[in-house]
Amino acid sequence: MKKKIRVIQGPNLNLLGTRQPELYGSQSLQEIHRALTEKFSHQAEFLFFQSNHEGALIDAIHDCKSMDGIVINPGAYTHTSYAIRDAIEGIGVPAVEVHVTQLYARESFRHISLIAPVCVGQISGFGTAGYELAIRGLLQLIERR
């Protein structure tokens, strides 16, 4: 049976592929989502969501109660949003936090994730391949439960 996974993308991730490609790579958000769908089509059904607005991201998280898991890249909200943290914690669905860049090799304000403590894992620094790693890990975790 296919697992239902919501992939939630935060602010500025709609600019992937054009925003600082030397840092974030050249793959667009649509290309990332298409690749995940193709690679995991036999194991997972995806629902993709992106917003630059904190409240919309929280609503999308609340809508995950019937999902098997969440992959979330909260973007800069990683370091500032207690509300997103509380939403993830509140729904009780396993979540994996993903970041394209290596947070801990960047500016010091990026070294703190408010989201990580309520996630089952965090992947940072593997470029857009981090999404695939997150899905693999999440699927394994779901199967073990």
Side-chain angles (χ1 to χ4, degrees):
M1 180 177 209
K2 287 186 181 183
K3 302 304 177 196
K4 293 181 183 178
I5 298 176
R6 186 101 192 235
V7 179
I8 300 174
Q9 308 279 10
N12 299 312
L13 291 165
N14 56 305
L15 300 177
L16 282 177
T18 58
R19 176 188 177 207
Q20 295 176 276
E22 69 284 357
L23 190 60
Y24 297 102
S26 59
Q27 205 174 17
S28 73
L29 196 59
Q30 293 75 21
E31 290 169 331
I32 293 166
H33 292 170
R34 188 172 27 257
L36 291 174
T37 300
E38 290 171 7
K39 184 154 215 114
F40 296 101
S41 63
H42 60 290
Q43 293 175 280
E45 179 182 320
F46 294 102
L47 185 59
F48 298 105
F49 181 81
Q50 189 278 327
S51 180
N52 295 315
H53 305 282
E54 186 177 29
L57 294 167
I58 292 165
D59 289 342
I61 293 165
H62 288 174
D63 289 342
C64 291
K65 290 178 185 171
S66 64
M67 298 299 223
D68 295 300
I70 301 168
V71 170
I72 184 167
N73 183 338
Y77 287 132
T78 300
H79 323 291
T80 63
S81 182
Y82 292 102
I84 289 174
R85 179 201 187 283
D86 290 349
I88 293 169
E89 185 177 41
I91 63 164
V93 174
V96 177
E97 180 185 351
V98 173
H99 296 281
V100 175
T101 63
Q102 170 48 294
L103 297 180
Y104 307 100
R106 297 188 64 192
E107 304 92 341
S108 61
F109 72 87
R110 297 186 194 275
H111 297 182
I112 296 172
S113 171
L114 299 175
I115 310 303
V118 296
C119 290
V120 296
Q122 181 192 63
I123 297 174
S124 170
F126 288 97
T128 57
Y131 290 100
E132 180 181 334
L133 295 170
I135 298 295
R136 287 189 187 285
L138 189 55
L139 287 170
Q140 288 178 7
L141 178 95
I142 293 167
E143 288 300 320
R144 286 195 308 258
R145 287 187 168 190

